[in-house]
Amino acid sequence: MSDKQFDVVVIGGGPGGYIAAIRAAQLGFKVACIDEWSNAAGKPAPGGTCTNVGCIPSKALLQSSEHFEHAGHAFADHGINVSGLELDLGKMLGRKDTIVKQNNDGILFLFKKNKVSFFHGRGAFAGTAEGGYTINVSGPTTDTLTAKNVVIATGSNARQLPGAEFDEKLILSNTGALAIDAVPGKLGVIGAGVIGLEMGSVWRRVGADVTVLEGLPTFLGAVDEQIAKEAHKLFVKQGLKINLGCKIGAITKGENNVTVAYADSTGAEQTTTFDRLIISIGRVPNTIGLNAEAVGVQLDERGFVVVDDECRTNLPGVWAVGDVVRGPMLAHKAEEEGVAVAERIAGQHGHVNFNTIPWVIYTSPEIAWVGKTEQQLKAEGIAYKAGTFPFMANGRARALGDTSGMVKFLADATTDEILGVHIVGPMASELISEAVVAMEFKASAEDIARICHAHPSLSEATKEAALAVDKRSLNF
């Protein structure tokens, strides 16, 4: 086998792609990964949207902005008086960029450690070869590779609003929202989803007047209704102006601002001018330039790669994972699919359970959930029991100074099997993992209720919510 012939070539170095490449190499395959992301210096920046303009930088800014807000508003409650508080936005953004580069470099190190050949450029199908496929690499690296197996992991791009294309200066996608060079006086956000709420929270904390315009009449419709209502109340109290049921009209760019015309939930026409406008109305699969037609990879009408339950495409030896296929656009879902595909190529039985994939919104309070919502159980006619426990009755939450929110358990009315767990409150992203493990092992609410949890800890709220399913909560 020549240096340019591989057992597995992965197109895309995001969470799904780089993890698939590493796992395939661990299984003994000769592996290459192609990724076109570059940093400001033109050097390789693997990690995809998640590492470069998504999960990682947004969490860095969320953490920094939360520190700033605490210093300005919450420290006094702890007996810590801060005077002359100032924001060094440049340093905040620089810290974010440093963290991104550390993650980029970490992935390159992992490739080297696992003997994965890395090619910096855009990968595209060129045709078939004996026993496999030919992949062209263009960009900083120009090359031609052949592979028995190809894993498509090209990710997704921000969906544009017709008539309001991204310029990343005034009209921003997630990319521009992470790099605003001055705190806007008035910031508009179209879309009250994960990105809209997280980015709106970042800039509100550091001084922006933030207005969120959401087209749907309900807030966070995919979230358990009780949890969503609690979150909405808390966000409004913080100062986010959330407008539901909006119908967006003309968006007009001025020299230094953007004007949005919209009809509100009553049908009344409104016009608001913002210094910056973030548009976060979903994402679309990134298959442009893949040249799928060269070999006949099937795409659906929306541009997603068509796959079966095991991530196989219509072609032998061609697989696809992550945002570019069906299912939730979540980095950890992509990682699990990447591992599963590598193991399936090796003849093993890779497995992904879509029913136990956790979801998280990293606002403050955080929102996390796994499994069914109460409205889904009602719609499906499943008899269930519910138990909730508020963080205001949790000793560790009181000590932290953050008693907002609750934990909610949903269990089968007959078997007591946990069907869903929903959390809004401090460190929800960490607490949800206990629920994921429990559901993977088909645990009952009683199982969690009988497990000893450390005291004082936020996880005690999980135990208490499980107890509440049987109406025997001890601390509320």
Side-chain angles (χ1 to χ4, degrees):
M1 187 179 292
S2 75
D3 288 342
K4 302 300 171 64
Q5 291 180 311
F6 295 90
D7 298 313
V8 181
V9 168
V10 181
I11 305 176
Y18 89 78
I19 289 294
I22 289 171
R23 183 64 184 126
Q26 289 175 344
L27 291 165
F29 293 115
K30 184 179 180 183
V31 182
C33 184
I34 307 166
D35 189 79
E36 68 174 338
W37 279 89
S38 299
N39 60 25
K43 301 296 183 181
T49 294
C50 174
T51 295
N52 291 289
V53 292
C55 322
I56 302 303
S58 64
K59 302 312 162 286
L61 289 185
L62 281 160
Q63 187 64 62
S64 295
S65 62
E66 187 167 356
H67 284 327
F68 181 78
E69 184 167 59
H70 284 175
H73 300 285
F75 279 5
D77 291 339
H78 294 265
I80 304 170
N81 296 315
V82 177
S83 61
L85 181 66
E86 293 182 0
L87 175 70
D88 186 339
L89 182 57
K91 191 164 187 176
M92 184 182 289
L93 295 175
R95 175 183 179 272
K96 175 258 298 180
D97 293 339
T98 296
I99 292 168
V100 168
K101 188 176 185 304
Q102 289 170 342
N103 280 267
N104 297 146
D105 293 345
I107 294 168
L108 292 170
F109 168 77
L110 289 170
F111 283 159
K112 185 176 181 180
K113 175 185 176 183
N114 290 279
K115 297 181 174 58
V116 174
S117 297
F118 176 71
F119 294 86
H120 187 201
R122 175 179 286 260
F125 285 100
T128 57
E130 186 176 350
Y133 303 88
T134 304
I135 308 295
N136 285 340
V137 183
S138 60
T141 300
T142 302
D143 227 318
T144 299
L145 317 178
T146 58
K148 296 177 182 177
N149 293 277
V150 179
V151 181
I152 302 168
T154 48
S156 62
N157 296 316
R159 184 188 301 277
Q160 302 210 58
L161 190 62
E165 287 69 27
F166 301 123
D167 60 13
E168 305 301 5
K169 295 178 181 179
L170 294 175
I171 300 178
L172 315 170
S173 69
N174 55 291
T175 300
L178 290 161
I180 303 174
D181 58 6
V183 178
K186 292 189 69 175
L187 175 66
V189 180
I190 296 179
V194 176
I195 295 171
L197 291 174
E198 289 185 358
M199 289 297 93
S201 293
V202 165
W203 295 106
R204 180 202 60 76
R205 292 171 189 167
V206 296
D209 180 1
V210 180
T211 298
V212 181
L213 305 175
E214 168 59 47
L216 294 175
T218 56
F219 181 67
L220 293 176
V223 177
D224 184 87
E225 186 175 356
Q226 184 179 9
I227 298 296
K229 286 181 177 178
E230 180 70 11
H232 183 273
K233 178 182 70 176
L234 294 167
F235 293 148
V236 170
K237 184 178 179 181
Q238 291 171 3
L240 281 180
K241 300 172 183 175
I242 301 173
N243 298 277
L244 304 175
C246 297
K247 184 177 181 180
I248 304 298
I251 297 177
T252 308
K253 285 202 300 184
E255 186 174 345
N256 295 302
N257 54 38
V258 183
T259 300
V260 180
Y262 65 97
D264 64 22
S265 59
T266 69
E269 296 295 332
Q270 307 286 346
T271 301
T272 306
T273 299
F274 302 106
D275 297 302
R276 296 288 189 277
L277 179 66
I278 298 171
I279 296 179
S280 55
I281 55 172
R283 299 184 65 81
V284 295
N286 178 25
T287 48
I288 298 173
L290 181 63
N291 200 24
E293 61 273 15
V295 292
V297 175
Q298 184 182 355
L299 307 181
D300 69 14
E301 66 281 359
R302 296 180 296 165
F304 287 96
V305 179
V306 177
V307 293
D308 64 12
D309 290 343
E310 296 195 333
C311 294
R312 292 182 174 88
T313 71
N314 60 307
L315 300 180
V318 180
W319 312 72
V321 302
D323 286 7
V324 81
V325 302
R326 79 289 176 267
M329 288 186 171
L330 298 170
H332 43 284
K333 172 260 195 183
E335 291 181 9
E336 293 304 307
E337 287 181 329
V339 169
V341 162
E343 293 176 349
R344 288 163 186 157
I345 291 172
Q348 298 180 10
H349 299 283
H351 175 69
V352 180
N353 184 355
F354 281 81
N355 294 322
T356 55
I357 292 176
W359 296 69
V360 181
I361 303 175
Y362 293 87
T363 46
S364 182
E366 293 183 344
I367 306 168
W369 70 98
V370 62
K372 300 283 189 180
T373 64
E374 190 166 0
Q375 56 263 37
Q376 286 175 324
L377 294 176
K378 288 178 179 177
E380 295 171 16
I382 298 173
Y384 65 93
K385 301 177 291 183
T388 62
F389 186 82
F391 282 106
M392 68 177 183
N394 176 267
R396 183 68 190 278
R398 289 172 180 153
L400 287 173
D402 187 355
T403 58
S404 58
M406 70 183 78
V407 179
K408 178 176 183 177
F409 264 66
L410 298 169
D412 187 278
T414 303
T415 68
D416 197 39
E417 180 182 345
I418 301 167
L419 302 177
V421 177
H422 307 269
I423 308 172
V424 54
M427 304 305 290
S429 59
E430 303 296 334
L431 295 173
I432 199 64
S433 292
E434 180 180 13
V436 175
V437 172
M439 290 179 65
E440 278 287 353
F441 283 91
K442 303 291 184 182
S444 65
E446 180 73 7
D447 289 328
I448 300 300
R450 291 288 181 183
I451 294 172
C452 183
H453 290 65
H455 176 77
S457 67
L458 295 174
S459 67
E460 288 179 289
T462 304
K463 175 186 176 79
E464 290 278 1
L467 284 165
V469 169
D470 195 38
K471 295 181 174 55
R472 62 179 211 270
S473 178
L474 298 169
N475 284 283
F476 183 73

